Amino acid sequence: MNTADRREAGTIAREGADNASARPEDTGDLAATSKTGAPERTGPVPRSLQRGTVDISVAIMTHPERLAEAEALAAAHPELAATVVVDPDPGRPGNVACAAAAWKARRPGATHHLVLQDDCRLSKRFVDTVLDLVERYPQQALSLFTYWATGTAAALRTAAAAGCRVAEVRESYFPTVAAVLPAHLADGFGEFFDAYAAELPEADDVAMGAFLYWRGVKRLAVVPTPVEHTGTESLTGNGYQGDRESVCFEDDAEAAGLSWDAAEPDAISGMDPTRAGQEHGYRAERNLPTRFFVAPWTHRHGPKAFTALGAATAETDQAAAVAAFLEAEPAASPLLLSSLWLAGYAFGADLVATPVRTYAPEGPRTPNRLPVDPAAVSDLLDAPVLAQCARAAAKGLGAFDPALSGLGSGSEGTGVGEAVDAVGPLSATGGAGTAVANAADADDPALRAASVPVADLPGGAVAIPSSTGHRLAHRSALARTAEPTPARADRIAALADFYRAAALAGAAHGRRD
């Protein structure tokens, strides 16, 4: 697509916003969502995102090069009457300009506005889940998708253990793959962008996080998520995270038995597989913020997490568990396995030893200590949502090690994780050579750095940009592969069982305190 085409496509959002004001609100008539030559849909279309006093308009944000995906998503869900908003400034790095245009596309009269990115898949219960959530938290910023490896995902796992579907977002950014804002905040973000466009970060989630912090808005996430992320390519430099799938997608696990209350844990545990060459597993404890955008959590990775838990023998137990797994899967990465075990162990210990406050919308916090009985912990881990959370984490972590999860060329050869182990901790200048991974990637902003250490892996070169520190930029090595195979499913199940066993071991430790 040439520059002229991109500029023409970029006018769609502005024209669409003008058209939105003329759209009939009483009949539900759906005006054309774009001006790309595609057939225009007209006539009465029921808006499904309406209930009582809640009326949610919908926009799908996209880049000119991904317009087809956005239009396909809109066509698959005509009941949403979604407006497709194309980036008005596609030459600008990142997607914040497109996001601002999408939030400005709120239908007049709508009480809330929902923005979807073009690489979303909606659950079968999407409409009911969104309406239930908005009815209970009408004034909050609501994220409908959470990446499995985030602190928010860790908080949601604990929330599910406490019988809740909601937890506060733990990152300074706000997840914007799919999000809902009340009308005044949706409009406000557009005004925020107009006022500070030159100063805002390139990524919309970071810019939105700054806006919501500035406005003092509570930011909430939900589990299971009614949205799944479907793409690997990223316009904002997140391709190094692979598929970036949900902590627990709603179609994969029913939320039976979970309430719409929110949970507020004092400790969370999870995995950050982008810490190349370092321990990915961690446990974090809540503390007080000290200055703007300093997360109110103290993170401890590796042995420090065990020390904080007072688990003197945990490292020995971890080494034995990893060694036993490696007997069956010798090509697996010891580092990734130890990370998964640490995260599971800390989660289990906190289930029985760390209080979690729960609260109804706008209600008081209620202390809620999780079960201490061994059978109760086992049953809790086997409940649909937590079991799927374990599978999602196993699949996601395994994606960094094709030899382990079957996401790459199979169980033969060296996996990505082992290559990362070999690279070791990286400084800003790296220590594994300097190059650009592939000629085709030369224009990729994520690979445009002063020095780029490179590790050769089975699926292609993996570059670790100096500009992203320890992050692993893996385009070709971790690309989506063919349909899942039985062997791949078995490996993911084995990893999930490994995480579950670690959680039970952690719960046993917690009961001794």
Side-chain angles (χ1 to χ4, degrees):
M1 180 175 291
N2 60 38
T3 302
D5 291 337
R6 293 191 182 194
R7 287 176 179 167
E8 180 179 356
T11 65
I12 293 172
R14 292 189 291 271
E15 295 174 353
D18 293 338
N19 290 339
S21 62
R23 190 172 299 147
E25 297 202 26
D26 54 343
T27 64
D29 284 359
L30 180 62
T33 59
S34 65
K35 297 186 177 182
T36 60
E40 295 186 353
R41 295 178 293 156
T42 58
V45 176
R47 292 196 184 95
S48 60
L49 285 175
Q50 291 179 326
R51 183 193 293 166
T53 60
V54 173
D55 181 6
I56 307 174
S57 59
V58 182
I60 300 172
M61 57 179 281
T62 191
H63 187 275
E65 294 181 355
R66 294 191 351 191
L67 180 58
E69 288 89 336
E71 291 184 327
L73 179 60
H77 298 279
E79 72 281 2
L80 300 182
T83 299
V84 173
V85 178
V86 182
D87 194 338
D89 187 9
R92 174 182 174 137
N95 64 348
V96 67
C98 185
W103 288 108
K104 291 178 182 179
R106 180 181 68 86
R107 172 171 40 81
T111 62
H112 295 76
H113 190 49
L114 187 159
V115 173
L116 299 168
Q117 295 185 1
D118 52 37
D119 50 0
C120 284
R121 178 160 62 97
L122 309 187
S123 72
K124 297 173 184 176
R125 287 187 47 81
F126 177 81
V127 168
D128 286 337
T129 295
V130 171
L131 288 171
D132 288 345
L133 185 63
V134 172
E135 281 187 332
R136 287 162 175 80
Y137 300 93
Q139 297 304 315
Q140 282 75 37
L142 306 173
S143 177
L144 307 179
F145 169 83
T146 298
Y147 171 46
W148 72 269
T150 59
T152 301
L156 287 171
R157 285 190 285 268
T158 301
C164 302
R165 290 198 64 176
V166 177
E168 292 184 34
V169 171
R170 295 303 170 201
E171 286 72 34
S172 59
Y173 66 85
F174 181 69
T176 51
V177 170
V180 183
L181 296 180
H184 70 283
L185 291 177
D187 298 344
F189 182 74
E191 296 166 358
F192 181 70
F193 175 80
D194 290 342
Y196 302 104
E199 304 171 40
L200 291 179
E202 298 171 356
D204 68 325
D205 54 357
V206 180
M208 181 63 78
F211 168 71
L212 296 174
Y213 186 96
W214 173 58
R215 293 291 293 264
V217 178
K218 181 172 289 186
R219 308 167 308 143
L220 302 177
V222 59
V223 66
T225 67
V227 171
E228 179 61 284
H229 182 261
T230 62
T232 56
E233 292 299 316
S234 173
L235 298 176
T236 56
N238 291 325
Y240 66 89
Q241 296 173 352
D243 285 354
R244 307 186 298 286
E245 292 184 352
S246 168
V247 58
C248 174
F249 182 44
E250 194 168 36
D251 282 356
D252 296 330
E254 293 188 9
L258 300 186
S259 76
W260 283 106
D261 289 355
E264 190 177 70
D266 279 340
I268 56 176
S269 55
M271 294 143 283
D272 179 6
T274 64
R275 289 168 52 89
Q278 298 188 44
E279 174 63 66
H280 313 306
Y282 69 85
R283 180 176 181 268
E285 295 176 344
R286 181 191 300 274
N287 52 50
L288 296 176
T290 56
R291 60 186 175 85
F292 179 73
F293 260 28
V294 171
W297 297 84
T298 297
H299 283 71
R300 294 183 174 89
H301 293 262
K304 292 182 179 179
F306 294 134
T307 301
L309 287 167
T313 63
E315 287 187 76
T316 302
D317 296 341
Q318 178 191 45
V322 170
F325 197 100
L326 288 172
E327 288 184 8
E329 291 284 355
S333 161
L335 177 59
L336 296 182
L337 287 173
S338 65
S339 301
L340 184 62
W341 200 92
L342 184 155
Y345 186 95
F347 181 65
D350 285 329
L351 285 182
V352 300
T354 304
V356 176
R357 289 172 297 279
T358 62
Y359 58 95
E362 306 305 327
R365 271 59 170 168
T366 303
N368 175 16
R369 186 173 289 276
L370 290 160
V372 296
D373 179 76
V377 172
S378 179
D379 291 344
L380 190 63
L381 295 171
D382 291 336
V385 171
L386 282 181
Q388 177 56 31
C389 284
R391 287 191 291 270
K395 179 182 177 184
L397 192 67
F400 286 77
D401 192 348
L404 179 62
S405 68
L407 292 175
S409 58
S411 59
E412 300 297 326
T414 302
V416 170
E418 288 212 326
V420 172
D421 292 345
V423 171
L426 299 169
S427 65
T429 57
T434 299
V436 173
N438 297 298
D441 293 333
D443 292 331
D444 187 334
L447 301 181
R448 208 178 299 133
S451 60
V452 183
V454 171
D456 291 324
L457 301 178
V462 169
I464 304 171
S466 60
S467 60
T468 56
H470 299 300
R471 291 178 176 178
L472 183 64
H474 55 84
R475 292 171 60 87
S476 55
L478 300 187
R480 187 182 297 276
T481 57
E483 289 298 314
T485 63
R488 178 176 183 259
D490 288 345
R491 288 174 183 136
I492 292 172
L495 277 175
D497 289 343
F498 186 73
Y499 176 87
R500 183 183 184 279
L504 289 174
H509 161 73
R511 284 193 298 274
R512 292 195 295 269
D513 292 344

